[in-house]
Amino acid sequence: MLTYSYKAKNISGTELAGQLQARSRNEVVAALKQKGLFLLKVEPQNRLAAILSSGSQMGGRVSIKEKAIFTHQLATLLKAGMKLTAALKTLSKQSRNKQLKTVISQIHDDIEQSSSLSEAMAKHSKIFSSVYTAIIEAAEQSGALSGTLSVLSNQLKSQASVSSQIKSALVYPIFLLAVSALVVGVLMTFVIPKFLELFVNANQKLPVPTKILISVTETMKGSWWIIVLVIVAVICAITTALKNRRFKMFFDSLLLNLPVAGTLNRKLQLARFARTLGSLLNGGVRILTAVQTTKGTTNNIAFADDIRGLEEKILKGSTLAEAIGSQRYFSEIASNMVAVGEETGTLDEMLLELADMYDNESESAIGSMTTLLGPLMIVVLGLIIGFVVLAILMPIFETSTMVS
C-alpha cells in the first residue's frame, strides 16, 4: 500500500487536501469519486516506491483474447448459479497470466469488502476500460449480469478476431518488405559498387538507369547515417504532431477517408460503436448516457467528434436514426437499420445485428487485402531487382555492341 497526497473540491466548491492509503492511483480516484469529491491533483508521497510498486505489478500484459476468455468464463459460472465471489476466486486460481490473476484476486477482495463488481473493476482501468465498467454497472442495476457478460465476451472475441486478422494480414507483406530492404541494401553496399567501378574506369557513356543506380549507391554508402536520421526525425515529428488536436483531427480524418483502408477503418469503428451501444441499451442504460459512453470505444477523434454530434442532436430532440443520418462517418444503412429498430422497439437487437454485419464485412475486406498485398509486394520487389539488373547489364550490352 502507498500513501497518496490529493487535492479535491466538494460539491460546494471548497478545496480540500489530504492523504489516502491505496494500492494505486486509480484506487484513490475511485475512493474520492465515491465520496462525491472532484479530484484536482493526486500523487504518491514516495515517487520511487510508486515506480517500484508499479513495476512489480506488471507480471505481463493482458490481451483482448484473455479478457474475452475471463468474461466468458465468469458469465458461464454465474449462469450455472455460482456466487460472484466464488466465481472470481475460481477464475483467479485458473488464470495463467500473473497480472490478470492478481487483478481478479484484488477484485474479489474489494467485493468481499462490499464494493460492486463495476467499482472493483474501475480500479484497474488499464485492463477494464470505462466502457467495459459502464456496461457492467448497467447490468448490475438491471439484474442481468450473466447475460450482459456473455454479450461483452462476444464483443471482445470479435475485437480480438479482427485484431488478429489485421496482424496476420500485415505479417507477410512486412516480411517481404524487410527481405527486400535487406537484399537491396546488400546489393547497393557490397555487390553493385564493384560493377560500377568497371563502368566508371572505362570512361564510357553510361545509360540513364546506370547513372541513377550510381547516384543511389554513392548516397547510401556515404550518407546512410543522414538517411537514418531523417527517418527518425520524421517519425519523431509525426509522433509530436499527433499530440496536437488539430493535426490529429486531420490525420484521423485522413485515415477514415483513404480509398480502401479508410472504408475498412470506418466499418471497424461503426461495428465497435454499434456493439457497445447495443450492449449498453440491452443493459438498461438510457440512450443519451449510452451514446456518451461509446466515445470511449474509439481513439479516432474524428469519429469521436461524430459521436459528440449524435449527443447534440439527441439533446435537441432528434431520434438516434435522424442523428446518425446527419453525421459524416455513419452510413445510410446504419441510419435505416436504427430507424427500423426504433420503430419496432428492438433498437438494442438491431444495433448488435448491425455490428455483426460490419464485423463480417470487415473480415471479408481484410481477407481480400491479405490476398492482394502478397503479390503486390512481390511485384514491387521484382521491379526493384529488375531495375538493378537492367542498370548493370545495359552498359555491358553497349560495350559488347561497340566491340562487335
Side-chain angles (χ1 to χ4, degrees):
M1 298 280 278
L2 296 171
T3 303
Y4 289 83
S5 298
Y6 67 86
K7 285 184 180 179
K9 281 186 177 181
N10 59 20
I11 298 173
S12 60
T14 307
E15 193 169 306
L16 305 169
Q19 294 177 354
L20 198 65
Q21 281 198 330
R23 283 188 290 264
S24 67
R25 185 182 185 279
N26 290 334
E27 195 170 324
V28 177
V29 173
L32 294 174
K33 190 177 179 183
Q34 200 170 9
K35 291 178 182 178
L37 299 176
F38 300 95
L39 187 63
L40 299 174
K41 185 180 179 184
V42 60
E43 58 183 16
Q45 284 194 321
N46 187 332
R47 289 183 179 275
L48 179 60
I51 292 167
L52 292 173
S53 174
S54 63
S56 66
Q57 290 175 8
M58 288 184 59
R61 184 173 156 272
V62 179
S63 67
I64 298 172
K65 188 177 179 181
E66 287 173 320
K67 209 184 331 181
I69 292 168
F70 160 74
T71 307
H72 176 71
Q73 288 175 337
L74 184 57
T76 304
L77 291 174
L78 292 178
K79 279 180 182 176
M82 191 178 283
K83 286 185 177 179
L84 180 58
T85 49
L88 289 168
K89 196 170 185 178
T90 303
L91 293 176
S92 176
K93 288 177 181 176
Q94 289 182 352
S95 179
R96 293 181 180 180
N97 184 306
K98 288 182 180 178
Q99 188 180 7
L100 184 58
K101 189 184 187 79
T102 305
V103 167
I104 296 170
S105 180
Q106 288 174 0
I107 290 169
H108 170 272
D109 293 344
D110 287 338
I111 291 171
E112 286 278 335
Q113 293 169 11
S114 75
S115 287
S116 66
L117 179 60
S118 58
E119 287 171 347
M121 285 180 164
K123 295 176 183 178
H124 308 280
S125 57
K126 288 185 179 178
I127 297 174
F128 302 105
S129 67
S130 58
V131 175
Y132 188 105
T133 52
I135 293 172
I136 295 295
E137 186 179 359
E140 287 174 319
Q141 290 171 1
S142 64
L145 184 57
S146 59
T148 303
L149 282 166
S150 295
V151 173
L152 258 178
S153 69
N154 290 333
Q155 181 176 343
L156 289 168
K157 282 175 189 174
S158 174
Q159 201 174 328
S161 173
V162 171
S163 178
S164 175
Q165 279 192 315
I166 292 171
K167 286 175 184 175
S168 300
L170 292 175
V171 166
Y172 184 55
I174 288 172
F175 173 75
L176 278 178
L177 189 63
V179 170
S180 304
L182 182 64
V183 169
V184 171
V186 170
L187 285 173
M188 292 288 193
T189 309
F190 302 105
V191 181
I192 294 170
K194 292 180 181 179
F195 281 97
L196 296 181
E197 277 180 27
L198 296 174
F199 302 142
V200 172
N201 293 335
N203 292 322
Q204 71 180 88
K205 188 177 180 182
L206 299 173
V208 174
T210 310
K211 287 179 180 178
I212 293 170
L213 191 62
I214 289 171
S215 300
V216 172
T217 304
E218 287 177 350
T219 302
M220 286 186 69
K221 277 186 71 179
S223 309
W224 62 268
W225 56 275
I226 295 176
I227 296 169
V228 172
L229 281 176
V230 167
I231 292 169
V232 171
V234 168
I235 292 169
C236 290
I238 291 171
T239 306
T240 305
L242 284 172
K243 293 176 183 177
N244 179 280
R245 182 175 170 79
R246 280 188 181 180
F247 182 83
K248 182 160 173 58
M249 177 66 81
F250 165 76
F251 185 78
D252 285 353
S253 298
L254 184 67
L255 290 178
L256 292 169
N257 288 304
L258 290 171
V260 179
T263 305
L264 174 61
N265 196 0
R266 282 199 302 274
K267 285 178 180 178
L268 291 171
Q269 298 287 352
L270 285 166
R272 201 173 297 137
F273 166 83
R275 196 174 296 283
T276 304
L277 185 58
S279 301
L280 286 165
L281 294 176
N282 185 265
V285 180
R286 291 175 64 187
I287 182 71
L288 186 59
T289 307
V291 170
Q292 288 169 343
T293 306
T294 56
K295 281 188 293 188
T297 62
T298 180
N299 56 4
N300 186 304
I301 64 171
F303 192 80
D305 200 46
D306 261 20
I307 298 175
R308 200 172 291 110
L310 294 181
E311 290 178 52
E312 292 170 2
K313 292 282 185 182
I314 292 167
L315 279 169
K316 290 176 182 176
S318 297
T319 63
L320 180 60
E322 289 168 348
I324 284 175
S326 64
Q327 302 306 312
R328 291 172 296 173
Y329 301 118
F330 284 83
S331 64
E332 188 177 345
I333 192 169
S335 177
N336 292 337
M337 286 182 72
V338 167
V340 171
E342 287 178 321
E343 287 170 10
T344 57
T346 56
L347 181 56
D348 54 341
E349 292 174 18
M350 196 59 70
L351 283 164
L352 293 173
E353 195 174 319
L354 182 66
D356 287 337
M357 184 191 76
Y358 277 125
D359 276 337
N360 291 333
E361 287 184 12
S362 299
E363 286 176 12
S364 176
I366 291 166
S368 301
M369 285 175 67
T370 308
T371 307
L372 289 171
L373 274 173
L376 184 64
M377 290 299 297
I378 291 170
V379 169
V380 171
L381 178 59
L383 288 172
I384 293 169
I385 293 173
F387 175 78
V388 170
V389 171
L390 183 69
I392 292 171
L393 291 180
M394 279 182 74
I396 294 173
F397 287 140
E398 286 184 6
T399 303
S400 299
T401 306
M402 287 172 65
V403 170
S404 300

